[in-house]
């Protein structure tokens, strides 16, 4: 089963934009960092623009955040790229002739809803700036180790 990396890829894109405000950032250069293709990066950036989290001008490789990084939450980014898609998904293809198969998914739904609510509440407390700060801490530690 394949899982989505859209959220982490989008955070990656947004951190690149935030820390490279004075540099040119084409979708190709961003894609190289994310290790994906430029078309996928453009799709993510379009979703960020629609959500009001990013601005850019066609033909100019200077995207920017629409508001300060400390005002953009992980939940904002998640909603921008995943919409209302839940974190956990029920298997709707179980055997309807099986007593467990027909009822287990419905039994799980309430718990999944609780998990979703809790995760979204936590994601709403984590800002893009928090992620950038941790990034810089990690870079600092790596630089000190290599000296």
């Amino acid at each position: 089963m394949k899982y989505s990396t859209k959220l982490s890829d989008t955070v990656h894109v947004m951190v690149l934009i935030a820390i490279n405000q004075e540099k040119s950032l084409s979708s190709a250069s961003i894609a190289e960092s994310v290790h994906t293709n430029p078309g996928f990066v453009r799709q993510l950036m379009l979703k960020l623009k629609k959500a009001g989290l990013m601005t850019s001008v066609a033909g100019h490789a200077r995207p920017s955040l629409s508001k300060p990084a400390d005002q953009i939450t992980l939940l904002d980014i998640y909603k921008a790229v995943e919409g209302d898609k839940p974190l956990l998904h029920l298997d709707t293809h179980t055997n309807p002739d099986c007593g467990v198969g027909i009822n287990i998914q419905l039994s799980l739904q309430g718990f999944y809803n609780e998990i979703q609510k809790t995760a979204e509440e936590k994601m709403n407390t984590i800002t893009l700036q928090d992620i950038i700060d941790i990034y810089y801490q990690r870079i600092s530690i790596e630089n000190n180790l290599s000296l």
Side-chain angles (χ1 to χ4, degrees):
M1 176 189 295
K2 184 151 169 67
Y3 52 88
S4 175
T5 60
K6 282 184 192 176
L7 178 59
S8 62
D9 290 344
T10 305
V11 170
H12 185 148
V13 168
M14 293 188 77
V15 169
L16 278 172
I17 291 169
I19 67 174
N20 291 294
Q21 293 177 12
E22 303 302 317
K23 295 181 183 173
S24 178
L25 284 176
S26 67
S27 56
S29 65
I30 294 171
E32 186 174 324
S33 179
V34 178
H35 204 40
T36 189
N37 65 67
F40 179 69
V41 168
R42 285 190 292 274
Q43 287 175 356
L44 295 178
M45 291 171 75
L46 181 60
K47 289 180 180 194
L48 291 170
K49 283 177 70 171
K50 286 182 179 179
L53 300 177
M54 191 197 92
T55 60
S56 67
V57 176
H60 298 281
R62 290 231 187 258
S64 61
L65 302 180
S66 297
K67 49 188 168 180
D70 64 353
Q71 294 177 18
I72 299 172
T73 69
L74 193 56
L75 183 61
D76 294 332
I77 301 166
Y78 177 79
K79 293 288 186 180
V81 294
E82 296 288 5
D84 292 326
K85 184 191 280 187
L87 293 168
L88 302 174
H89 305 275
L90 296 173
D91 182 356
T92 58
H93 303 296
T94 55
N95 184 350
D97 295 329
C98 172
V100 174
I102 197 164
N103 289 298
I104 192 66
Q105 303 306 319
L106 298 173
S107 300
L108 279 171
Q109 186 63 63
F111 294 113
Y112 279 17
N113 292 345
E114 286 180 48
I115 293 166
Q116 183 76 31
K117 183 177 185 264
T118 302
E120 286 186 9
E121 287 170 355
K122 181 61 178 176
M123 290 168 77
N124 206 34
T125 68
I126 301 167
T127 68
L128 184 60
Q129 189 62 53
D130 295 330
I131 297 165
I132 292 168
D133 292 345
I134 296 295
Y135 162 78
Y136 280 127
Q137 286 175 11
R138 292 183 58 81
I139 294 300
S140 176
I141 291 168
E142 284 181 23
N143 288 339
N144 288 334
L145 290 176
S146 66
L147 293 177

